[in-house]
Amino acid sequence: MPSTVKQPDRRILDHFLVPKHRILSLEEAVEVLNKLGIKPWQLPRISVNDPVIRLLGGKPGDIVEIVRNSPTAGEYVTYRVVVSY
Amino acid sequence: MPKRSRREPRNEQGIELGEKLKAKLEAAKSMLPPKLYEELYEKISKGTDLTMEQKIEAVERTVRRYVESMVQPGEPVGVTAAQSIGEPGTQMTLRTFHYAGLMEFDVTLGLPRLIEIVDAKHEPSTPLMRIYLEDKYANDLEKAKEIARSIEYTTIGNVINSVDYTLGDRTLVVRLDPEMMEDRGVTVDMVVEALERLKLGDVEKGEENTVLLHVSESVLPDESLTDLRAYEDIKNKIIKGYVKGIKGIRRAVIQERTDDKTGKREYVIVAEGSNLSEVMKIDGVDITRIDTNNIYEIAETLGIEAARNAIIREIMDVLQNSGLDVDIRHVMLVADLMTWTGKVRQIGRLGVVGEKPSVLARAAFEVTVNQLYEAAVKGEEERFAGVTESIIAGLPPRVGTGIVLLSLGVNALKSPSQLSQAEGAQQ
């Protein structure tokens, strides 16, 4: 991404609608995929241009762990794969 | 089953049972969602009128009930969600309601709003923002007023009475409205600046709330001095001239709110219109609590996960406002479906349905002929993998029990005696 593009405000990460995102390391990503028994393309997606992914510096192919606050389960861990569009 | 009459277990036995209960709880922790586990744990540790055996039983039963109530593989959750939202939806009013007690604003509610959300419209018909202030300004009415005034999109037209001109005269008289200026927090200097920014000519402060504009020759050439339309054009440019504020915010009102939980009072700016990314840049605004009902803007500035949360919240709000009790799980499924690609997609021909791989499934939804025609031109293939197309073709749809590819051997239908006979015959 060209450096002229302005980064989103870091403070959006603390917004009440934004759950915690974390980019997994390669080892963690492999572990998660093995645990779920799926390939990356079977995961829900998130764009590289998503403000949160831009702040975390995600690249296409990365797997993001998202800890959602679920009204039914309390906390729910889910994953998205970063895509280039 | 432990009986009531049985005495409390002796110490040794008690320790043993305590260990067992601990182990059961540990097992339950890995099975149950955190919220459920916490509730169970709390009730077990509080339940003093239960014996150890009963507590163990309670944990076991909770886990069993949880596993039983999980969705089975092959269960058509989408159809269930569609029915669960659709049926109460028929009872919704078609009228647009207004918020009770919040007279200043119209808010679209009911079915029109629901349709708006699932259609993923770029802008709601009644955009609304709630702007909270940082803690240090929470009780500062002056700061709230200042911010509210600075975000209201104000044009010269908002603060003037009229623009007067005489044909043949290059000087236009802008008559200001002091009341409106006071209300919007605009000074005469700001109007002068705004006029100068339009680059129409020289600006000069006149007497008694007027501003004189000497239009330059390049804007109004000599031959146009008798042209009424040329004057009207300039007048319109003046009226539209930008003074201050954020584009999209039409009005901002300050309200005092009390937090239900903490009882804390604070000022909140409620704005008609929405522009999340710009309002976030304003000093003194609490970014972590700023809120809008424009889901598209949330997706752009806060990300897809925030948009998912916003969709769930907005749909639940509409349903609850209409007095409908729909389980949030159905709504969560809708939100997941709309956002799993990383973009907010509408539920419809241009979104979720339009991207189905099956030609027949798309054709069954809307614009049948066009879908078939285009599919024919592109040479698309129908794989009959989904439910809709399977039903059209009379195939067993791959849902529910149909998802299992299991067939019964002929031998299994025979009784054991028949089997042994058959084996004997073979030999």
Side-chain angles (χ1 to χ4, degrees), chain B residues 105 128-134 137-138 140-152 249 251-257 266-273 279 282-286 289-292:
Chain B
F105 295 107
L128 205 69
M129 277 191 100
R130 253 183 297 277
I131 303 157
Y132 293 86
L133 304 179
E134 279 173 11
Y137 301 127
D140 189 344
L141 185 59
E142 284 309 307
K143 182 74 182 175
K145 271 185 185 163
E146 185 196 317
I147 292 178
R149 277 175 172 174
S150 69
I151 61 170
E152 264 186 330
I249 308 287
R251 215 150 48 94
V253 174
I254 297 160
Q255 288 179 352
E256 200 176 3
R257 292 238 175 126
E266 64 178 327
Y267 292 107
V268 182
I269 301 167
V270 181
E272 194 185 324
V279 174
I282 289 181
D283 228 27
V285 169
D286 185 353
R289 288 191 296 162
I290 192 166
D291 199 2
T292 172

Side-chain angles (χ1 to χ4, degrees), chain A residues 48-68:
Chain A
V48 262
N49 297 319
D50 191 273
V52 178
I53 295 304
R54 273 167 62 191
L55 282 173
L56 298 179
K59 298 175 293 299
D62 283 347
I63 287 170
V64 189
E65 179 194 81
I66 297 155
V67 184
R68 289 176 181 162

